[in-house]
Amino acid sequence: MAIDDPVRGSTDTPEASAAPEKRSTWSALRPLVLRLHFYAGILIAPLLLVAATSGLLYALSFQAEKIVYSRELTTDVGERKLPLDSQVAAARKAHPEGTVTAVWPSADDGATTRVLMSSPAVEEGKSLAVFVDPYTAGIRGELPSYGSSGALPLRTWIDELHRDLHLGDLGRNYSELAASWLWVVALGGLLLWFGRKRASKRALLVPERGAKGRRRTLSWHGSVGLWAVAGLVLLSATGLTWSKYAGENIGAVQDQLGGATPVVSATLDGAAADGGGHEGHGDGGHGGARQGADIGIDNAVAAAAGVGMEGRISVILPAEGSGYVVKETDATFPVHLDSVAIDPADARIMDELRFADYPLLAKLTRFGIDAHMGVLFGLVNQLVLAALMVALIMLIVWGYRMWWQRRPTRDRQSGAGDAAGTPSGGSFRFGRPVPRGAWRRVPVTAMTPLAAVTVLVGWFVPMLGISLLVFLAVDIALGLVARARRRSPAA
């Protein structure tokens, strides 16, 4: 993700630099890619730096949550666990103002049961999680809970920082803009890195030994970027699925391809079917108490266990017109994400949905999102995410360092000035961009399909298209200003 890279002198050895560059489509495209990389690095890198820093904190928040909220999440192991009905009754007694919507039974020895409530004590879109000791029905605490992964206040705060800077819908533009450009900058940097001439293949994969100055910075930047590019592109793609504008387009295409995520139907008497969702959506649509016969949560769990629903589960309580929904929630690979709907009157299995029956595209979407969230492979996933975020932060720092190392200095002064039209006096001390007009060197046979693809991608990913037009406008304006200065008597 190099912010700046010279058009000339891009080889690693003097002999290679002296050799004339072979005319090819790539040699014509390279200056254009460099200039786009330059603008994206200068203007988008600050957003990427914020996203990477908050993403690093989010990756570490899973383990931090276990420490900070250890009292609520854990308890002493007793002789036997009480029925869930007793645990839910204790939560209701402690918070009579709330309405129980879902229950996460204790899955491990020493883990508490989480009873989720809709309550005026928490803001809209979140649930009140009451933590119950499964051995004594004692209340261990209560905390706001957010999303299908049950994020507690620490992780929720970091998640909102990463998603929208705590600015709501306005702040979501920042994260969508960062995700829209991350894959472009990463793949562009990959092309530039592979397109360089080097003395050995080793210099492609690891930093060059003995290099100094800007060459050393570029060596570290390029080799680390090569190892990180696949993960960065995956994070960009999955991040866009949550975005406001590109996310709608992605969802529409997924539906047209038959890859929509299916939901189990818990409908009674024609009521709306139950549905789940990704992080940021609710824990279920059941908010009101159901009238009529009710087998109770323990019998519902037993009925679900009879068809293989075991381990980590979430039980969504029935509302008027709907039944119990029992979902497996173990997203750690290999995943256990089956779900079943149960009639609250007689424990009849109303509907079953096995993850194995999901459309392939829905499975891949789920895997990608869970990997982005750091839950697909548990702690390993979180450590990989943390490493990727550290790599992205360093790539940005190295990029800006290269930009600074290319600034005009007294040692580099010459009578002709620099390649970007900067006077040789050195009054402009920032890094030099790639010279303008690179697109004119691209053959029409390559420029036409490139322009068509750019327009299509810009329409599909609107924040990318709009910002690209802004880059073009800025580039034209700077060119006009530079031309006016050259024509003025003072120049």
Side-chain angles (χ1 to χ4, degrees):
M1 198 186 306
I3 285 182
D4 206 359
D5 195 5
V7 176
R8 297 180 178 87
S10 61
T11 57
D12 288 345
T13 62
E15 293 78 10
S17 299
E21 185 179 17
K22 181 180 179 180
R23 298 298 299 172
S24 63
T25 301
W26 169 242
S27 65
L29 282 174
R30 185 175 182 276
L32 183 63
V33 176
L34 277 168
R35 191 155 185 83
L36 179 64
H37 209 61
F38 171 80
Y39 275 119
I42 293 295
L43 302 177
I44 301 299
L47 302 182
L48 292 175
L49 184 60
V50 173
T53 303
S54 57
L56 172 61
L57 293 176
Y58 184 80
L60 301 176
S61 68
F62 286 88
Q63 303 306 315
E65 203 173 54
K66 296 178 181 179
I67 299 173
V68 174
Y69 305 114
S70 60
R71 170 174 171 76
E72 289 82 2
L73 295 172
T74 61
T75 186
D76 295 331
V77 178
E79 293 183 2
R80 67 180 184 87
K81 294 181 179 179
L82 298 174
L84 288 173
D85 281 324
S86 300
Q87 299 178 49
V88 173
R92 283 197 176 108
K93 183 179 180 180
H95 293 275
E97 79 287 354
T99 301
V100 178
T101 58
V103 178
W104 295 11
S106 169
D108 303 314
D109 293 337
T112 55
T113 293
R114 190 178 306 196
V115 179
L116 299 177
M117 294 181 167
S118 59
S119 171
V122 295
E123 59 186 279
E124 185 179 358
K126 297 178 182 177
S127 299
L128 178 65
V130 182
F131 298 88
V132 183
D133 187 326
Y135 306 101
T136 65
I139 303 302
R140 299 285 295 176
E142 51 278 315
L143 293 167
S145 175
Y146 172 71
S148 59
S149 71
L152 299 178
L154 174 63
R155 184 152 57 96
T156 299
W157 190 91
I158 296 175
D159 176 51
E160 292 174 349
L161 175 67
H162 181 67
R163 185 175 66 250
D164 58 23
L165 301 177
H166 296 279
L167 297 176
D169 288 339
L170 177 63
R172 290 183 64 185
N173 294 325
Y174 121 82
S175 58
E176 182 165 358
L177 190 60
S180 298
W181 275 97
L182 178 56
W183 68 275
V184 177
V185 178
L187 293 180
L190 182 67
L191 288 175
L192 293 171
W193 186 242
F194 272 111
R196 290 178 60 84
K197 297 176 183 178
R198 48 183 52 84
S200 66
K201 293 183 179 180
R202 184 182 182 279
L204 176 71
L205 302 175
V206 296
E208 184 180 0
R209 295 177 180 175
K212 296 181 180 180
R214 183 180 174 278
R215 181 171 172 177
R216 178 184 179 184
T217 307
L218 178 59
S219 178
W220 275 94
H221 180 97
S223 56
V224 171
L226 176 65
W227 289 103
V229 65
L232 296 179
V233 171
L234 176 63
L235 289 177
S236 175
T238 52
L240 285 174
T241 62
W242 281 299
S243 63
K244 182 177 181 180
Y245 303 108
E248 293 179 357
N249 293 334
I250 293 172
V253 170
Q254 185 175 351
D255 292 344
Q256 292 176 0
L257 295 176
T261 301
V263 293
V264 67
S265 175
T267 305
L268 292 174
D269 301 327
D274 167 67
H278 299 311
E279 182 76 353
H281 298 264
D283 293 288
H286 304 266
R290 177 184 177 276
Q291 302 298 323
D294 191 338
I295 59 174
I297 188 172
D298 289 287
N299 288 327
V301 171
V307 291
M309 299 291 166
E310 298 177 338
R312 297 183 181 276
I313 61 172
S314 169
V315 184
I316 299 175
L317 271 62
E320 193 64 35
S322 62
Y324 284 96
V325 175
V326 180
K327 300 179 179 180
E328 293 180 330
T329 59
D330 185 2
T332 304
F333 194 85
V335 301
H336 297 90
L337 298 172
D338 299 340
S339 55
V340 62
I342 300 167
D343 192 319
D346 55 12
R348 176 177 57 90
I349 302 299
M350 300 163 54
D351 188 26
E352 292 185 52
L353 177 61
R354 304 293 176 177
F355 185 75
D357 297 329
Y358 277 34
L360 177 60
L361 187 56
K363 289 180 181 178
L364 294 177
T365 300
R366 180 61 192 253
F367 288 149
I369 289 175
D370 286 348
H372 189 114
M373 291 169 54
V375 299
L376 182 59
F377 299 106
L379 178 60
V380 173
N381 195 165
Q382 295 151 26
L383 292 176
V384 170
L385 283 178
L388 273 176
M389 293 303 95
V390 171
L392 180 55
I393 292 171
M394 293 309 302
L395 289 171
I396 294 170
V397 171
W398 286 323
Y400 275 112
R401 178 169 174 76
M402 283 188 289
W403 180 56
W404 178 253
Q405 287 173 326
R406 288 194 64 205
R407 74 193 190 282
T409 62
R410 291 182 178 180
D411 294 339
R412 299 173 187 167
Q413 289 180 12
S414 64
D418 64 38
T422 303
S424 60
S427 59
F428 179 59
R429 295 181 57 81
F430 298 109
R432 297 174 296 180
V434 179
R436 298 180 183 88
W439 64 273
R440 300 189 186 96
R441 299 175 55 191
V442 181
V444 176
T445 54
M447 192 65 187
T448 301
L450 180 62
V453 170
T454 301
V455 171
L456 179 62
V457 173
W459 170 83
F460 192 76
V461 187
M463 295 297 285
L464 176 64
I466 293 172
S467 56
L468 191 58
L469 290 176
V470 172
F471 288 175
L472 180 60
V474 169
D475 194 48
I476 292 174
L478 291 177
L480 293 175
V481 171
R483 184 179 303 175
R485 286 179 176 177
R486 287 195 298 267
R487 291 178 178 178
S488 65

PDB file of all heavy atoms in Angstrom, residues 95-110:
ATOM      1  N   HIS A  95     -35.912  -8.107  37.754  1.00  0.00           N
ATOM      2  CA  HIS A  95     -36.222  -7.012  36.824  1.00  0.00           C
ATOM      3  C   HIS A  95     -37.649  -7.177  36.304  1.00  0.00           C
ATOM      4  O   HIS A  95     -37.870  -7.544  35.154  1.00  0.00           O
ATOM      5  CB  HIS A  95     -35.220  -6.995  35.668  1.00  0.00           C
ATOM      6  CG  HIS A  95     -33.834  -6.638  36.085  1.00  0.00           C
ATOM      7  ND1 HIS A  95     -33.400  -5.322  36.202  1.00  0.00           N
ATOM      8  CD2 HIS A  95     -32.779  -7.417  36.459  1.00  0.00           C
ATOM      9  CE1 HIS A  95     -32.140  -5.318  36.610  1.00  0.00           C
ATOM     10  NE2 HIS A  95     -31.739  -6.566  36.771  1.00  0.00           N
ATOM     11  N   PRO A  96     -38.626  -6.884  37.145  1.00  0.00           N
ATOM     12  CA  PRO A  96     -40.017  -7.061  36.725  1.00  0.00           C
ATOM     13  C   PRO A  96     -40.443  -6.113  35.613  1.00  0.00           C
ATOM     14  O   PRO A  96     -41.462  -6.352  34.956  1.00  0.00           O
ATOM     15  CB  PRO A  96     -40.798  -6.787  38.021  1.00  0.00           C
ATOM     16  CG  PRO A  96     -39.889  -5.939  38.848  1.00  0.00           C
ATOM     17  CD  PRO A  96     -38.514  -6.414  38.532  1.00  0.00           C
ATOM     18  N   GLU A  97     -39.677  -5.048  35.417  1.00  0.00           N
ATOM     19  CA  GLU A  97     -40.028  -4.092  34.361  1.00  0.00           C
ATOM     20  C   GLU A  97     -39.676  -4.603  32.970  1.00  0.00           C
ATOM     21  O   GLU A  97     -40.134  -4.054  31.961  1.00  0.00           O
ATOM     22  CB  GLU A  97     -39.309  -2.755  34.601  1.00  0.00           C
ATOM     23  CG  GLU A  97     -37.835  -2.712  34.177  1.00  0.00           C
ATOM     24  CD  GLU A  97     -36.892  -3.491  35.103  1.00  0.00           C
ATOM     25  OE1 GLU A  97     -37.340  -3.983  36.156  1.00  0.00           O
ATOM     26  OE2 GLU A  97     -35.689  -3.583  34.769  1.00  0.00           O
ATOM     27  N   GLY A  98     -38.867  -5.640  32.887  1.00  0.00           N
ATOM     28  CA  GLY A  98     -38.414  -6.154  31.600  1.00  0.00           C
ATOM     29  C   GLY A  98     -39.264  -7.302  31.093  1.00  0.00           C
ATOM     30  O   GLY A  98     -39.993  -7.953  31.848  1.00  0.00           O
ATOM     31  N   THR A  99     -39.160  -7.564  29.790  1.00  0.00           N
ATOM     32  CA  THR A  99     -39.845  -8.685  29.145  1.00  0.00           C
ATOM     33  C   THR A  99     -38.794  -9.627  28.573  1.00  0.00           C
ATOM     34  O   THR A  99     -37.971  -9.204  27.745  1.00  0.00           O
ATOM     35  CB  THR A  99     -40.773  -8.203  28.018  1.00  0.00           C
ATOM     36  OG1 THR A  99     -41.743  -7.308  28.557  1.00  0.00           O
ATOM     37  CG2 THR A  99     -41.479  -9.382  27.362  1.00  0.00           C
ATOM     38  N   VAL A 100     -38.799 -10.868  29.011  1.00  0.00           N
ATOM     39  CA  VAL A 100     -37.801 -11.833  28.554  1.00  0.00           C
ATOM     40  C   VAL A 100     -38.039 -12.151  27.084  1.00  0.00           C
ATOM     41  O   VAL A 100     -39.154 -12.490  26.675  1.00  0.00           O
ATOM     42  CB  VAL A 100     -37.854 -13.122  29.390  1.00  0.00           C
ATOM     43  CG1 VAL A 100     -36.838 -14.132  28.864  1.00  0.00           C
ATOM     44  CG2 VAL A 100     -37.583 -12.813  30.858  1.00  0.00           C
ATOM     45  N   THR A 101     -37.004 -12.024  26.278  1.00  0.00           N
ATOM     46  CA  THR A 101     -37.095 -12.325  24.850  1.00  0.00           C
ATOM     47  C   THR A 101     -36.298 -13.565  24.467  1.00  0.00           C
ATOM     48  O   THR A 101     -36.674 -14.269  23.527  1.00  0.00           O
ATOM     49  CB  THR A 101     -36.590 -11.133  24.018  1.00  0.00           C
ATOM     50  OG1 THR A 101     -35.240 -10.835  24.397  1.00  0.00           O
ATOM     51  CG2 THR A 101     -37.455  -9.907  24.244  1.00  0.00           C
ATOM     52  N   ALA A 102     -35.199 -13.825  25.159  1.00  0.00           N
ATOM     53  CA  ALA A 102     -34.355 -14.961  24.804  1.00  0.00           C
ATOM     54  C   ALA A 102     -33.536 -15.398  26.015  1.00  0.00           C
ATOM     55  O   ALA A 102     -33.334 -14.625  26.961  1.00  0.00           O
ATOM     56  CB  ALA A 102     -33.426 -14.613  23.642  1.00  0.00           C
ATOM     57  N   VAL A 103     -33.065 -16.623  25.967  1.00  0.00           N
ATOM     58  CA  VAL A 103     -32.244 -17.182  27.044  1.00  0.00           C
ATOM     59  C   VAL A 103     -31.063 -17.911  26.418  1.00  0.00           C
ATOM     60  O   VAL A 103     -31.239 -18.685  25.469  1.00  0.00           O
ATOM     61  CB  VAL A 103     -33.060 -18.154  27.922  1.00  0.00           C
ATOM     62  CG1 VAL A 103     -32.173 -18.756  29.013  1.00  0.00           C
ATOM     63  CG2 VAL A 103     -34.255 -17.449  28.540  1.00  0.00           C
ATOM     64  N   TRP A 104     -29.866 -17.639  26.952  1.00  0.00           N
ATOM     65  CA  TRP A 104     -28.671 -18.370  26.555  1.00  0.00           C
ATOM     66  C   TRP A 104     -28.282 -19.273  27.730  1.00  0.00           C
ATOM     67  O   TRP A 104     -27.644 -18.807  28.684  1.00  0.00           O
ATOM     68  CB  TRP A 104     -27.524 -17.418  26.237  1.00  0.00           C
ATOM     69  CG  TRP A 104     -27.748 -16.531  25.034  1.00  0.00           C
ATOM     70  CD1 TRP A 104     -28.908 -16.344  24.348  1.00  0.00           C
ATOM     71  CD2 TRP A 104     -26.765 -15.709  24.410  1.00  0.00           C
ATOM     72  NE1 TRP A 104     -28.732 -15.452  23.335  1.00  0.00           N
ATOM     73  CE2 TRP A 104     -27.418 -15.044  23.338  1.00  0.00           C
ATOM     74  CE3 TRP A 104     -25.428 -15.467  24.640  1.00  0.00           C
ATOM     75  CZ2 TRP A 104     -26.759 -14.154  22.507  1.00  0.00           C
ATOM     76  CZ3 TRP A 104     -24.757 -14.583  23.811  1.00  0.00           C
ATOM     77  CH2 TRP A 104     -25.413 -13.942  22.754  1.00  0.00           C
ATOM     78  N   PRO A 105     -28.656 -20.542  27.698  1.00  0.00           N
ATOM     79  CA  PRO A 105     -28.339 -21.428  28.827  1.00  0.00           C
ATOM     80  C   PRO A 105     -26.831 -21.574  29.018  1.00  0.00           C
ATOM     81  O   PRO A 105     -26.043 -21.473  28.067  1.00  0.00           O
ATOM     82  CB  PRO A 105     -28.975 -22.760  28.411  1.00  0.00           C
ATOM     83  CG  PRO A 105     -30.006 -22.408  27.388  1.00  0.00           C
ATOM     84  CD  PRO A 105     -29.440 -21.222  26.660  1.00  0.00           C
ATOM     85  N   SER A 106     -26.457 -21.812  30.261  1.00  0.00           N
ATOM     86  CA  SER A 106     -25.053 -22.058  30.579  1.00  0.00           C
ATOM     87  C   SER A 106     -24.567 -23.288  29.814  1.00  0.00           C
ATOM     88  O   SER A 106     -25.131 -24.372  29.933  1.00  0.00           O
ATOM     89  CB  SER A 106     -24.899 -22.284  32.080  1.00  0.00           C
ATOM     90  OG  SER A 106     -23.617 -22.759  32.390  1.00  0.00           O
ATOM     91  N   ALA A 107     -23.517 -23.109  29.012  1.00  0.00           N
ATOM     92  CA  ALA A 107     -23.020 -24.211  28.184  1.00  0.00           C
ATOM     93  C   ALA A 107     -21.818 -24.911  28.793  1.00  0.00           C
ATOM     94  O   ALA A 107     -21.517 -26.045  28.436  1.00  0.00           O
ATOM     95  CB  ALA A 107     -22.660 -23.692  26.795  1.00  0.00           C
ATOM     96  N   ASP A 108     -21.116 -24.243  29.703  1.00  0.00           N
ATOM     97  CA  ASP A 108     -19.904 -24.797  30.305  1.00  0.00           C
ATOM     98  C   ASP A 108     -20.033 -24.802  31.825  1.00  0.00           C
ATOM     99  O   ASP A 108     -20.789 -24.020  32.410  1.00  0.00           O
ATOM    100  CB  ASP A 108     -18.675 -23.988  29.894  1.00  0.00           C
ATOM    101  CG  ASP A 108     -18.497 -23.917  28.389  1.00  0.00           C
ATOM    102  OD1 ASP A 108     -18.620 -24.967  27.738  1.00  0.00           O
ATOM    103  OD2 ASP A 108     -18.249 -22.803  27.876  1.00  0.00           O
ATOM    104  N   ASP A 109     -19.282 -25.662  32.461  1.00  0.00           N
ATOM    105  CA  ASP A 109     -19.237 -25.665  33.920  1.00  0.00           C
ATOM    106  C   ASP A 109     -18.665 -24.337  34.408  1.00  0.00           C
ATOM    107  O   ASP A 109     -17.599 -23.894  33.955  1.00  0.00           O
ATOM    108  CB  ASP A 109     -18.374 -26.823  34.426  1.00  0.00           C
ATOM    109  CG  ASP A 109     -18.998 -28.184  34.135  1.00  0.00           C
ATOM    110  OD1 ASP A 109     -20.232 -28.241  33.960  1.00  0.00           O
ATOM    111  OD2 ASP A 109     -18.244 -29.179  34.083  1.00  0.00           O
ATOM    112  N   GLY A 110     -19.382 -23.708  35.323  1.00  0.00           N
ATOM    113  CA  GLY A 110     -18.906 -22.441  35.860  1.00  0.00           C
ATOM    114  C   GLY A 110     -19.331 -21.231  35.057  1.00  0.00           C
ATOM    115  O   GLY A 110     -18.974 -20.105  35.422  1.00  0.00           O
TER     116      GLY A 110
END
